[in-house]
Amino acid sequence: FCLKAADKVISPSQYMVRELETRSALTRKDFEIVPNPFDKRAITNENLTAGPVKANEIVFYGKLTVQKGAFRLLKYFKELWDKGFDRPLFLLGGQDIVYHPEGRTMGDIIRKKYKKYISNKLLILEDRIPPTAIAERLARAEVVIIPSDNDNLPYVVFEMMALGKIVLVSKQGGQSEVVENGIDGFVF
């Protein structure tokens, strides 16, 4: 109701506007897109001592949640691993988010369901990274996958692009608005 009465609606991404339109009968079309600010100086990989990129570091970086696409990503990697793909996937980020349908944390669910792949070092879970250590830890990533199912516009996309990383992002969400497919990343 409040959106219908608004004189103007400001959104950080076109994705959010499209989502609002599917969920509410909006009569006004007076939307303005004002992206969230990002200061590249806040994250930089200059003068890192982490060494060269390791060819085997395919990384998911962010909170392990359904919204961020964690289950979907792991389903696809399981299929790849079962067919002989031998490159590991690194999951970096908070694992303590509770998945309420199961009443357990995402980390616990993933460790149980993918125990075989963790034992075979195909799935490597790392916990949160302090903001001051992001650039150094992610310097080893060859590609960072952002498979969000319905994110507004995750800051991790900006952070990884500022580090010069190849990003692979889903088209569902605002992240696809800042990545030009084949130019500065890939959209799936």
Side-chain angles (χ1 to χ4, degrees):
F1 178 74
C2 293
L3 287 177
K4 289 181 183 180
D7 291 329
K8 181 180 276 295
V9 176
I10 299 172
S11 172
S13 70
Q14 183 62 43
Y15 173 79
M16 287 300 291
V17 172
R18 285 192 307 271
E19 283 298 304
L20 286 172
E21 289 174 332
T22 65
R23 298 167 191 222
S24 177
L26 299 177
T27 55
R28 297 193 57 93
K29 298 294 181 189
D30 196 6
F31 294 99
E32 186 165 345
I33 307 304
V34 179
N36 291 332
F38 178 75
D39 183 359
K40 183 179 175 183
R41 294 172 299 188
I43 182 166
T44 178
N45 63 352
E46 293 175 11
N47 303 318
L48 290 178
T49 58
V53 170
K54 293 182 180 178
N56 68 341
E57 288 213 358
I58 302 170
V59 173
F60 166 93
Y61 172 59
K63 293 183 292 189
L64 290 180
T65 65
V66 174
Q67 171 191 359
K68 298 286 184 188
F71 286 153
R72 182 183 306 221
L73 177 65
L74 288 168
K75 175 184 171 278
Y76 289 128
F77 265 83
K78 179 187 180 305
E79 291 173 11
L80 289 170
W81 292 325
D82 289 347
K83 292 177 182 175
F85 187 69
D86 64 355
R87 293 182 64 181
L89 172 65
F90 291 77
L91 299 182
L92 311 178
Q95 304 168 22
D96 59 349
I97 307 296
V98 175
Y99 180 58
H100 292 286
E102 293 193 25
R104 298 182 311 162
T105 67
M106 291 291 288
D108 289 342
I109 293 167
I110 290 168
R111 278 187 286 280
K112 181 178 180 183
K113 186 171 183 176
Y114 295 94
K115 183 178 182 177
K116 167 183 159 183
Y117 305 97
I118 293 170
S119 295
N120 291 333
K121 299 195 183 331
L122 290 170
L123 179 60
I124 300 163
L125 281 79
E126 296 180 23
D127 212 347
R128 286 184 175 87
I129 302 170
T132 56
I134 292 171
E136 186 168 357
R137 173 56 190 92
L138 275 292
R140 299 187 313 247
E142 178 181 10
V143 63
V144 179
I145 304 174
I146 298 127
S148 298
D149 284 331
N150 59 359
D151 247 337
N152 173 26
L153 183 54
Y155 264 87
V156 68
V157 176
F158 295 120
E159 292 172 338
M160 296 306 101
M161 290 174 78
L163 287 172
K165 296 298 158 192
I166 297 170
V167 292
L168 178 60
V169 303
S170 61
K171 65 181 177 182
Q172 302 90 336
Q175 62 274 5
S176 64
E177 296 173 25
V178 297
V179 175
E180 190 173 347
N181 192 39
I183 304 297
D184 48 14
F186 299 94
V187 180
F188 66 93

